[in-house]
Short mmCIF file of all heavy atoms in Angstrom, two decimals:
data_model
loop_
_atom_site.label_atom_id
_atom_site.label_comp_id
_atom_site.label_asym_id
_atom_site.label_seq_id
_atom_site.Cartn_x
_atom_site.Cartn_y
_atom_site.Cartn_z
N PHE K 1088 30.72 16.17 -0.05
CA PHE K 1088 29.56 16.21 0.82
C PHE K 1088 28.35 16.74 0.08
O PHE K 1088 28.48 17.43 -0.93
CB PHE K 1088 29.84 17.09 2.05
CG PHE K 1088 30.81 16.46 3.00
CD1 PHE K 1088 32.17 16.49 2.75
CD2 PHE K 1088 30.37 15.81 4.14
CE1 PHE K 1088 33.08 15.90 3.62
CE2 PHE K 1088 31.25 15.21 5.01
CZ PHE K 1088 32.61 15.26 4.75
N VAL K 1092 17.45 15.44 0.83
CA VAL K 1092 16.13 15.92 1.26
C VAL K 1092 15.09 14.85 1.00
O VAL K 1092 14.97 14.35 -0.11
CB VAL K 1092 15.74 17.21 0.49
CG1 VAL K 1092 14.34 17.66 0.86
CG2 VAL K 1092 16.74 18.32 0.75
N ASP K 1093 14.34 14.50 2.03
CA ASP K 1093 13.21 13.59 1.89
C ASP K 1093 11.97 14.46 1.71
O ASP K 1093 11.34 14.89 2.67
CB ASP K 1093 13.08 12.69 3.13
CG ASP K 1093 12.05 11.61 2.94
OD1 ASP K 1093 11.19 11.73 2.04
OD2 ASP K 1093 12.09 10.63 3.71
N CYS K 1100 7.54 24.55 6.47
CA CYS K 1100 7.55 25.49 7.60
C CYS K 1100 8.55 26.63 7.42
O CYS K 1100 8.48 27.63 8.13
CB CYS K 1100 7.84 24.74 8.90
SG CYS K 1100 9.55 24.16 9.04
N GLN K 1117 17.04 36.83 0.89
CA GLN K 1117 18.21 36.06 0.50
C GLN K 1117 18.43 34.95 1.51
O GLN K 1117 18.31 35.16 2.71
CB GLN K 1117 19.44 36.94 0.43
CG GLN K 1117 19.42 37.95 -0.69
CD GLN K 1117 20.72 38.73 -0.76
OE1 GLN K 1117 21.73 38.32 -0.21
NE2 GLN K 1117 20.67 39.87 -1.43
N GLY K 1126 2.56 22.35 -6.61
CA GLY K 1126 1.11 22.15 -6.62
C GLY K 1126 0.42 23.49 -6.69
O GLY K 1126 1.08 24.49 -6.94
N GLY K 1131 -8.85 13.54 -5.65
CA GLY K 1131 -10.17 13.01 -5.95
C GLY K 1131 -10.90 13.89 -6.94
O GLY K 1131 -10.31 14.49 -7.84
N ALA K 1134 -14.69 18.64 -7.66
CA ALA K 1134 -15.86 19.23 -7.01
C ALA K 1134 -15.75 19.17 -5.49
O ALA K 1134 -16.38 19.96 -4.79
CB ALA K 1134 -17.13 18.53 -7.48
N ASP K 1135 -14.93 18.23 -4.97
CA ASP K 1135 -14.75 18.11 -3.52
C ASP K 1135 -13.95 19.29 -2.97
O ASP K 1135 -13.94 19.51 -1.77
CB ASP K 1135 -14.03 16.81 -3.17
CG ASP K 1135 -14.87 15.59 -3.47
OD1 ASP K 1135 -16.10 15.71 -3.56
OD2 ASP K 1135 -14.27 14.51 -3.62
N ASN K 1136 -13.24 19.98 -3.83
CA ASN K 1136 -12.44 21.13 -3.44
C ASN K 1136 -11.33 20.76 -2.44
O ASN K 1136 -11.02 21.52 -1.54
CB ASN K 1136 -13.30 22.27 -2.89
CG ASN K 1136 -12.62 23.61 -3.06
OD1 ASN K 1136 -11.78 23.77 -3.94
ND2 ASN K 1136 -12.97 24.56 -2.22
N TRP K 1138 -7.35 19.86 -2.10
CA TRP K 1138 -6.15 20.10 -2.89
C TRP K 1138 -4.92 19.64 -2.14
O TRP K 1138 -4.87 19.65 -0.91
CB TRP K 1138 -6.01 21.60 -3.20
CG TRP K 1138 -7.15 22.08 -4.03
CD1 TRP K 1138 -8.36 22.55 -3.57
CD2 TRP K 1138 -7.23 22.11 -5.44
NE1 TRP K 1138 -9.17 22.86 -4.62
CE2 TRP K 1138 -8.49 22.62 -5.79
CE3 TRP K 1138 -6.34 21.76 -6.45
CZ2 TRP K 1138 -8.89 22.77 -7.10
CZ3 TRP K 1138 -6.73 21.93 -7.77
CH2 TRP K 1138 -8.00 22.43 -8.08
N ARG K 1156 30.35 26.55 10.47
CA ARG K 1156 29.75 25.64 11.46
C ARG K 1156 30.39 24.25 11.35
O ARG K 1156 30.69 23.63 12.36
CB ARG K 1156 28.24 25.50 11.24
CG ARG K 1156 27.44 26.71 11.65
CD ARG K 1156 25.95 26.49 11.35
NE ARG K 1156 25.42 25.29 11.97
CZ ARG K 1156 24.94 25.22 13.21
NH1 ARG K 1156 24.95 26.29 13.97
NH2 ARG K 1156 24.46 24.09 13.68
N LEU K 1159 33.53 23.73 13.05
CA LEU K 1159 33.40 23.54 14.49
C LEU K 1159 32.80 22.17 14.84
O LEU K 1159 32.46 21.92 16.00
CB LEU K 1159 32.52 24.65 15.08
CG LEU K 1159 33.04 26.08 14.91
CD1 LEU K 1159 31.99 27.10 15.35
CD2 LEU K 1159 34.33 26.26 15.70
N THR K 1164 23.14 24.65 9.45
CA THR K 1164 22.03 25.16 10.25
C THR K 1164 20.67 24.72 9.72
O THR K 1164 19.74 24.50 10.49
CB THR K 1164 22.12 26.70 10.41
OG1 THR K 1164 21.24 27.11 11.44
CG2 THR K 1164 21.82 27.42 9.11
N SER K 1171 10.89 18.90 10.59
CA SER K 1171 10.42 17.57 10.21
C SER K 1171 11.57 16.58 10.02
O SER K 1171 11.34 15.42 9.69
CB SER K 1171 9.59 17.65 8.93
OG SER K 1171 10.37 18.15 7.87
N LYS K 1172 12.81 17.07 10.25
CA LYS K 1172 14.01 16.22 10.14
C LYS K 1172 14.10 15.55 8.76
O LYS K 1172 14.49 14.39 8.65
CB LYS K 1172 14.04 15.15 11.24
CG LYS K 1172 14.01 15.73 12.64
CD LYS K 1172 15.24 16.56 12.90
CE LYS K 1172 15.24 17.09 14.32
NZ LYS K 1172 16.09 18.26 14.48
N PHE K 1176 22.79 15.88 6.00
CA PHE K 1176 24.06 16.32 5.42
C PHE K 1176 25.11 15.26 5.71
O PHE K 1176 25.14 14.70 6.81
CB PHE K 1176 24.49 17.66 6.02
CG PHE K 1176 25.81 18.13 5.50
CD1 PHE K 1176 25.90 18.77 4.28
CD2 PHE K 1176 26.98 17.93 6.22
CE1 PHE K 1176 27.13 19.19 3.78
CE2 PHE K 1176 28.20 18.34 5.75
CZ PHE K 1176 28.28 18.98 4.52
N LEU K 1179 28.87 12.00 0.36
CA LEU K 1179 28.00 11.53 -0.72
C LEU K 1179 27.83 10.02 -0.72
O LEU K 1179 26.73 9.53 -0.98
CB LEU K 1179 28.55 11.99 -2.07
CG LEU K 1179 28.45 13.48 -2.36
CD1 LEU K 1179 29.01 13.78 -3.73
CD2 LEU K 1179 27.03 13.98 -2.25
N ASP K 1180 28.88 9.29 -0.42
CA ASP K 1180 28.75 7.83 -0.44
C ASP K 1180 27.76 7.34 0.61
O ASP K 1180 26.99 6.42 0.37
CB ASP K 1180 30.10 7.13 -0.32
CG ASP K 1180 30.89 7.53 0.92
OD1 ASP K 1180 30.55 8.55 1.55
OD2 ASP K 1180 31.86 6.81 1.25
N GLU K 1181 27.75 7.97 1.79
CA GLU K 1181 26.79 7.59 2.83
C GLU K 1181 25.38 8.00 2.46
O GLU K 1181 24.42 7.25 2.66
CB GLU K 1181 27.19 8.22 4.16
CG GLU K 1181 28.44 7.63 4.78
CD GLU K 1181 28.80 8.30 6.09
OE1 GLU K 1181 27.93 8.94 6.73
OE2 GLU K 1181 29.98 8.19 6.49
N LEU K 1182 25.24 9.23 1.94
CA LEU K 1182 23.91 9.71 1.54
C LEU K 1182 23.36 8.88 0.39
O LEU K 1182 22.16 8.60 0.34
CB LEU K 1182 23.96 11.18 1.15
CG LEU K 1182 24.29 12.17 2.27
CD1 LEU K 1182 24.36 13.58 1.72
CD2 LEU K 1182 23.30 12.08 3.41
N ASN K 1183 24.23 8.49 -0.51
CA ASN K 1183 23.82 7.69 -1.65
C ASN K 1183 23.22 6.36 -1.21
O ASN K 1183 22.30 5.85 -1.85
CB ASN K 1183 25.01 7.47 -2.58
CG ASN K 1183 24.59 7.36 -4.02
OD1 ASN K 1183 23.46 7.67 -4.38
ND2 ASN K 1183 25.50 6.91 -4.86
N GLN K 1184 23.70 5.79 -0.13
CA GLN K 1184 23.16 4.54 0.39
C GLN K 1184 21.74 4.72 0.92
O GLN K 1184 20.95 3.79 0.91
CB GLN K 1184 24.06 3.99 1.50
CG GLN K 1184 25.40 3.53 1.00
CD GLN K 1184 26.32 3.10 2.13
OE1 GLN K 1184 25.98 3.18 3.29
NE2 GLN K 1184 27.52 2.65 1.76
N ASP K 1187 16.56 7.05 -1.87
CA ASP K 1187 15.44 6.35 -2.49
C ASP K 1187 14.89 7.31 -3.53
O ASP K 1187 14.25 8.30 -3.18
CB ASP K 1187 14.39 5.99 -1.45
CG ASP K 1187 13.16 5.32 -2.04
OD1 ASP K 1187 13.01 5.30 -3.28
OD2 ASP K 1187 12.33 4.84 -1.25
N LYS K 1189 12.50 7.58 -5.34
CA LYS K 1189 11.08 7.89 -5.36
C LYS K 1189 10.71 8.98 -4.36
O LYS K 1189 9.72 9.67 -4.53
CB LYS K 1189 10.27 6.64 -5.05
CG LYS K 1189 10.38 5.57 -6.10
CD LYS K 1189 9.57 4.35 -5.69
CE LYS K 1189 9.78 3.23 -6.69
NZ LYS K 1189 9.11 2.01 -6.27
N GLN K 1190 11.48 9.14 -3.29
CA GLN K 1190 11.08 10.03 -2.23
C GLN K 1190 12.12 11.07 -1.86
O GLN K 1190 11.79 12.04 -1.20
CB GLN K 1190 10.73 9.24 -0.98
CG GLN K 1190 9.61 8.28 -1.17
CD GLN K 1190 9.39 7.42 0.06
OE1 GLN K 1190 10.09 7.54 1.04
NE2 GLN K 1190 8.42 6.55 0.01
N THR K 1192 15.75 13.54 -2.71
CA THR K 1192 16.54 14.23 -3.71
C THR K 1192 17.90 14.54 -3.11
O THR K 1192 17.98 15.07 -2.01
CB THR K 1192 15.84 15.55 -4.13
OG1 THR K 1192 14.52 15.24 -4.56
CG2 THR K 1192 16.60 16.21 -5.25
N VAL K 1196 26.48 20.09 -3.10
CA VAL K 1196 26.83 21.50 -2.96
C VAL K 1196 28.34 21.57 -2.83
O VAL K 1196 28.91 21.05 -1.88
CB VAL K 1196 26.14 22.12 -1.73
CG1 VAL K 1196 26.46 23.58 -1.64
CG2 VAL K 1196 24.63 21.91 -1.82
N ALA K 1197 28.98 22.19 -3.81
CA ALA K 1197 30.44 22.26 -3.81
C ALA K 1197 30.95 23.34 -2.87
O ALA K 1197 30.31 24.29 -2.58
CB ALA K 1197 30.96 22.53 -5.22
#
Side-chain angles (χ1 to χ4, degrees):
F1088 289 79
V1092 176
D1093 188 341
C1100 71
Q1117 291 184 18
D1135 293 339
N1136 205 24
W1138 298 87
R1156 287 178 56 86
L1159 299 172
T1164 194
S1171 61
K1172 301 296 182 202
F1176 178 81
L1179 290 181
D1180 56 344
E1181 290 179 20
L1182 294 178
N1183 211 12
Q1184 292 175 358
D1187 177 350
K1189 294 179 185 175
Q1190 299 175 359
T1192 305
V1196 182

